[in-house]
Amino acid sequence: MSMSPIGPGGPSLPQQRRIVTEIPGPASRALLERRQRSVARGLGHVLPVFVTAAGGGILVDADGNSLIDFGSGIAVTSVGNSAELVVNRVIEQVSQFTHTCFMVAPYEGYVMVCEELNRLTPGDHDKRSALFNSGAEAVENAVKIARHATGRDAVVVFDHAYHGRTNLTMAMTAKNMPYKQGFGPFASDVYRVPMAYPFRWPGGPAACAAEALDVITGLIHTQVGEQNVAAVVIEPIQGEGGFIVPPDGFLPGLAQFCADHGIVFVADEVQSGFCRTGDWFAVDHEGVVPDLVLTAKGIAGGLPLAGVTGRAELMDAVHVGGLGGTFGGNPVACAAALGAIETMAKEDLPAAARRIGDILLPRLRMLAEAYPAIGDVRGRGAMIAIELVRPGTLEPDGAAAAAVARACHAAGLLVLTCGTYGNVLRFLPPLVMSEALLSEGLSVLEDAFAALPATAH
Ligand code: PLZ
């Protein structure tokens, strides 16, 4: 097969911002009108430009605008959009066969992805994996496995957590609007405890790890009972909830508590995994070895795939036929994952993510000095955020975050917001983004702050 890029997209797309109409332009606006008449209102858009091609860290829209992508489709296209090895493997697979259903007649690609997951996830214990379609499905299945293996019901989750939009994962997700409002009743036996959130911890960041562990283990003891807890599920760096990085020592302490009480420690690495934070997995930073690791998003370069990987004795506790789904581990998605993982290893994308952090963090810290509305600069690798507040307070300023995001969008930089209070701007560039493009994106962001009304800073 030819290794030359195939489409108008892919890595050969010029890595340059180029704005030729207002954003969104007339072609996108016309499509948006069709969209309003045909697509359910419940699906929102961060930036309503209709994409026609994408490659590396650039999105091209229907009006011919080229935008810098600091979102990666919510942390998915870490290897770049339409990455060469992903495209080649997908084309090869899609022309061989598209689907059999792994539960009907298996194929090697599924096994290869599981072998890779078992090899790459933390710990050298015996592991097994199972593949699904989405992050939420991975979370659902982790809970099924943990409950089956322990014979216990309770699941412990955290303030600011995001785990998905299915019924069980809505119960596990913290934020009401827009995720849960009107969608109950929710699944039972889900218990929420505080998150170690250094910026907002009442006792201050230095006390946060120890105090949070005390509060959490105390609540579990008094309100749930350790012996009833099947799993503690945590995002090692929280994503939708605000890119909250727990203080050093917190995750190891939590993992130890779980080990002491026979609780399955589940790391939801759906957003933080696959090189995003500068390690293959965010828990690697402190050498934490979860019992189960959940992956999705970045695993397959943009195709839908998710995995649950963990201790063989937990994974294999489930009876034959107890796990599955029609499309889970689809052969095309598996081929894409193999191409994405090969790219991550070949191009050393953990190092690329660290380099991105080294470029973003100093510039953002300088920006925070100029604009006291930036209350916190945080993150690791290429999972970086700034939290906006009313200057000199902890009061969240979601309006300022929205205004900055709007100004960035108008100038051709796609940024995402997040956070329980909607006041966090997050930066998730593809890990292959060039330094020049990163730097230009930061300049657009700096201009957006300069254009904020003075009352906001
Ligand atoms: N766990 C940690 O970040 C998905 C949500 C976008 P799915 N985050 C993006 C939205 O508004 O729907 C996510 C996550 C973590 C689980 C999930 C769920 O993954 O693939 O969206 O189901």
Side-chain angles (χ1 to χ4, degrees):
M1 168 169 312
S2 146
M3 292 301 280
S4 63
I6 296 121
S12 65
L13 198 67
Q15 297 295 294
Q16 269 160 16
R17 177 173 65 115
R18 188 166 156 266
I19 302 305
V20 294
T21 69
E22 59 185 326
I23 303 284
S28 278
R29 287 203 305 272
L31 283 162
L32 198 59
E33 233 173 81
R34 275 173 56 201
R35 175 255 177 267
Q36 312 291 26
R37 287 194 299 271
S38 58
V39 181
R41 189 172 71 128
L43 292 122
H45 307 293
V46 171
L47 174 55
V49 297
F50 280 73
V51 175
T52 54
I58 288 287
L59 302 171
V60 179
D61 75 10
D63 292 284
N65 297 298
S66 292
L67 297 97
I68 301 176
D69 182 10
F70 271 15
S72 298
I74 322 189
V76 171
T77 52
S78 299
V79 294
N81 224 309
S82 291
E84 189 168 22
L85 297 180
V86 172
V87 170
N88 289 343
R89 292 227 192 203
V90 163
I91 289 175
E92 198 177 340
Q93 178 60 48
V94 87
S95 49
Q96 272 164 350
F97 63 96
T98 50
H99 174 83
T100 62
C101 185
F102 192 72
M103 303 181 307
V104 174
Y107 37 88
E108 187 179 3
Y110 189 115
V111 177
M112 288 168 77
V113 172
C114 292
E115 287 169 347
E116 290 293 283
L117 283 167
N118 298 347
R119 186 174 66 79
L120 291 166
T121 50
D124 50 15
H125 49 279
D126 196 19
K127 294 175 203 156
R128 300 285 185 275
S129 289
L131 303 180
F132 304 96
N133 301 293
S134 66
E137 249 192 286
V139 175
E140 291 259 356
N141 280 280
V143 171
K144 282 169 66 172
I145 292 163
R147 284 178 169 159
H148 202 290
T150 59
R152 305 172 178 182
D153 294 332
V155 175
V156 172
V157 294
F158 292 80
D159 282 340
H160 312 287
Y162 184 91
H163 297 293
R165 293 175 182 266
T166 58
N167 187 262
L168 172 61
T169 59
M170 274 193 292
M172 295 170 69
T173 289
K175 190 175 175 176
N176 181 52
M177 268 304 273
Y179 307 122
K180 303 166 76 161
Q181 178 59 41
F183 297 138
F186 303 111
S188 64
D189 292 296
V190 175
Y191 300 86
R192 192 171 310 285
V193 294
M195 176 62 184
Y197 189 168
F199 180 60
R200 292 184 179 279
W201 191 260
C208 179
E211 288 183 9
L213 282 170
D214 267 3
V215 173
I216 291 161
T217 53
L219 284 171
I220 291 174
H221 180 70
T222 54
Q223 298 190 8
V224 195
E226 297 86 345
Q227 70 280 10
N228 300 316
V229 180
V232 168
V233 183
I234 189 163
E235 300 155 80
I237 295 182
Q238 286 183 322
E240 304 306 307
F243 277 33
I244 299 163
V245 186
D248 282 353
F250 176 73
L251 291 173
L254 195 62
Q256 188 57 51
F257 169 80
C258 290
D260 291 345
H261 295 283
I263 297 168
V264 179
F265 182 71
V266 183
D268 179 346
E269 293 256 12
V270 165
Q271 189 154 168
S272 58
F274 277 110
C275 311
R276 177 54 56 188
T277 63
D279 289 293
W280 277 88
F281 296 94
V283 287
D284 290 334
H285 183 68
E286 289 189 273
V288 170
V289 178
D291 299 310
L292 300 178
V293 177
L294 314 184
T295 50
K297 289 192 184 283
I299 189 177
L303 274 81
L305 188 70
V308 178
T309 301
R311 297 187 185 282
E313 64 273 20
L314 294 175
M315 296 294 295
D316 283 344
V318 179
H319 50 274
V320 174
L323 303 175
T326 304
F327 288 122
N330 166 272
V332 183
C334 286
L338 295 171
I341 292 168
E342 191 184 343
T343 307
M344 291 178 205
K346 264 193 178 154
E347 300 189 15
D348 195 359
L349 293 191
R354 292 194 292 274
R355 233 173 3 253
I356 289 172
D358 291 343
I359 294 168
L360 293 188
L361 285 170
R363 289 269 291 267
L364 293 171
R365 290 193 182 115
M366 270 165 54
L367 199 63
E369 279 181 20
Y371 299 99
I374 302 176
D376 197 22
V377 177
R378 58 175 179 254
R380 207 150 57 221
M383 187 169 184
I384 302 288
I386 53 181
E387 175 159 0
L388 303 195
V389 290
R390 300 230 166 265
T393 75
L394 287 180
E395 203 187 316
D397 194 345
V404 171
R406 265 196 313 276
C408 290
H409 297 165
L413 172 70
L414 178 50
V415 293
L416 308 175
T417 57
C418 65
T420 297
Y421 319 107
N423 64 326
V424 178
L425 285 157
R426 57 173 152 172
F427 311 113
L428 291 163
L431 306 182
V432 298
M433 186 173 281
S434 70
E435 189 166 342
L437 208 55
L438 279 170
S439 177
E440 191 180 346
L442 282 165
S443 301
V444 173
L445 181 74
E446 288 157 359
D447 292 347
F449 270 93
L452 265 188
T455 49
H457 58 79

